[in-house]
Amino acid sequence: MRVSVLRAARDLAVEDRPRPEPGAHEVLVRVGSVGICGSDVHYYDHGRIGRFVVEDPLVLGHEASGTIEEVGSAVEGLRPGQRVSVEPGVPDLTCSQCLAGRYNLCPNMRFFATPPVDGAFSEYVVVHSAFAHPVPDEIGDDAAALLEPLSVGVWANQKAGTTAGSRVLITGAGPVGLVSLQTALAFGAVEVTVSDINPSRLALARDLGAIATVDPRSASLDDLSKAPDVLLECSGFPPAIADGIRALDGAGRAVLVGMGGDEVPLPLARIQERELTVTGTFRYANTWPTAISLVAAGRVDLDRLVTGHYGLDQVEDALQAGRRDEHSVKVMVHPNG
Ligand SMILES: [Zn+2]
C-alpha cells in the first residue's frame, strides 16, 4: 500500500509498505478521507510537538474515515463494507483512569500520528474494533473524518456545562472553534460570540449561527452587551486566553482547548473575585455517539468547513494550504484517490 511518510521536518515522501493485517480485535480500514489538523502542520514544520519528537519516519493524519475491508477473528458487530469513522486513540482499557471512564487521560494511550504511532495518510489502517464507529449514509466520508475535531468541540461544551440559554464566547474561529460554535448551539446556547482576526472565518462563524463576531484588534471582549457564562478558548493565543477569562460573568466557566504553550499569564484576581472555573481539556472520551447523532440529525454541518481536497501525492501541498490561503479552513486528503 502507498503511505505518505514524514522522514524529518519538511521532508515528506510517498513510500510503499506492506498492508497491515488486523489483529484479533482489530479491523482493517480502507481510508476514504483524512482531515489535516494543526498538529500535522506543526509536526511537518518542526518535526516535534513539545515532548513528542519525530525520531523515526512517521505517518501523519489522525482525522480519518473509511470502509472496513477485513475484520479480525474476534471482532463482533462489524463487517467488511461498513463505513466507519476512526477514533484515533486506543487506551489500555485497564488503568485507573480508563476504569473511571476517563480514557483520554490514559497514560498508555496510543494515538495516531503521535510518535511512535503512525497515522492515516495511508491507503489502509488497522483500528481497534471498539474505536471504529459505524456511520449512517447521510454522513459522507469527509464529515465522518471530521467527527474527530467535532469530538473536541463536544467534549469542550460538555466540560463547560453548555446548556439551554447559555451565553458562550469562543476565542479562535479555526476548525475547532467553528465546531465548538455549532455544538454550543446544538446544546441550547442562545448567544454565541466568536472572536478571531481572520475576517473570512468570522463570516463563516456568522453563517453558522454566531450572534456576534469580534475582531480583537478593533474591539474589546469587555464590550460584549451581556457577559458570557462560558468561554471556549480555541486559539491558544495568550492575550485571547486572558481577555476571554476577563470577559466572563460571575461563576463563569472557562475551558482551555487551544494549545497556548506551557505557561501563560492568567487574570487571577478576576478568577477569584468572580469565582470562575478554569479547566483544561485533553482530546475527548465517549464523544463519538453524540457527534454522530448531531451530524446525522443535521444539527452540525461539517461539510461547510471543507475547503480543499488532495491526493496522497499532494500531502505536502495540503499541509501548506492554510498558510497559502486565508480562506482555507479544513483541507482533506484522500489516500485512495
Ligand atoms: Zn488506561
Side-chain angles (χ1 to χ4, degrees), residues 90-99 102-109:
V90 178
D92 62 14
L93 300 173
T94 57
C95 74
S96 59
Q97 294 291 350
C98 283
L99 294 179
R102 299 183 293 258
Y103 65 78
N104 57 317
L105 303 182
C106 176
N108 302 312
M109 176 73 89

Side-chain angles (χ1 to χ4, degrees), residues 15-337:
E15 294 179 1
D16 271 309
R17 285 188 180 180
R19 199 171 94 172
E21 297 284 333
H25 296 278
E26 293 176 327
V27 297
L28 177 71
V29 174
R30 184 176 193 269
V31 180
S33 291
V34 192
I36 286 193
C37 171
S39 65
D40 297 315
V41 177
H42 202 279
Y43 276 123
Y44 171 72
D45 281 341
H46 304 285
R48 66 183 301 156
I49 295 181
R51 65 191 169 92
F52 294 105
V53 181
V54 179
E55 277 157 354
D56 297 308
L58 178 73
V59 180
L60 295 174
H62 65 268
E63 305 174 352
S65 68
T67 305
I68 294 178
E69 184 89 4
E70 250 183 71
V71 301
S73 56
V75 173
E76 288 175 13
L78 294 174
R79 51 177 172 69
Q82 221 165 5
R83 295 177 55 253
V84 292
S85 171
V86 175
E87 180 169 354
V90 178
D92 62 14
L93 300 173
T94 57
C95 74
S96 59
Q97 294 291 350
C98 283
L99 294 179
R102 299 183 293 258
Y103 65 78
N104 57 317
L105 303 182
C106 176
N108 302 312
M109 176 73 89
R110 290 178 54 80
F111 200 90
F112 271 48
T114 304
V117 182
D118 280 332
F121 291 156
S122 174
E123 289 181 322
Y124 294 88
V125 292
V126 289
V127 185
H128 189 296
S129 59
F131 296 87
H133 301 278
V135 293
D137 287 343
E138 55 266 38
I139 301 181
D141 278 357
D142 290 347
L146 298 181
L147 293 172
E148 199 276 345
L150 175 56
S151 281
V152 175
V154 167
W155 189 242
N157 275 286
Q158 287 173 342
K159 279 274 193 190
T162 304
T163 187
S166 292
R167 295 184 307 279
V168 178
L169 170 62
I170 296 173
T171 44
V176 167
L178 294 169
V179 295
S180 297
L181 155 67
Q182 296 189 66
T183 307
L185 292 168
F187 281 20
V190 289
E191 291 174 22
V192 185
T193 301
V194 177
S195 78
D196 200 284
I197 56 169
N198 179 325
S200 80
R201 288 186 173 190
L202 291 180
L204 182 53
R206 286 190 297 272
D207 279 357
L208 293 171
I211 195 166
T213 54
V214 176
D215 181 334
R217 294 171 303 184
S218 56
S220 165
L221 296 176
D222 283 341
D223 298 338
L224 300 179
S225 57
K226 232 173 170 185
D229 44 33
V230 167
L231 167 67
L232 303 175
E233 204 304 303
C234 301
S235 76
F237 183 54
I241 300 171
D243 288 350
I245 289 173
R246 234 178 258 119
L248 280 170
D249 202 358
R253 302 171 301 281
V255 177
L256 306 182
V257 186
M259 308 282 192
D262 282 350
E263 300 195 6
V264 173
L266 295 181
L268 197 57
R270 186 62 67 94
I271 291 169
Q272 292 173 313
E273 286 159 11
R274 293 199 178 167
E275 295 198 338
L276 306 179
T277 302
V278 180
T279 180
T281 49
F282 188 64
R283 298 170 180 155
Y284 35 67
N286 303 310
T287 46
W288 255 257
T290 303
I292 290 169
S293 301
L294 289 174
V295 178
R299 305 288 290 273
V300 168
D301 185 353
L302 295 171
D303 293 311
R304 282 290 297 282
L305 308 184
V306 176
T307 50
H309 299 275
Y310 297 82
L312 204 58
D313 298 310
Q314 304 164 303
V315 169
E316 201 147 18
D317 215 15
L319 286 163
Q320 297 176 40
R323 224 173 341 238
R324 264 198 324 269
D325 177 9
E326 67 166 33
H327 300 289
S328 176
V329 179
K330 179 60 85 176
V331 301
M332 309 301 297
V333 172
H334 304 286
N336 284 286

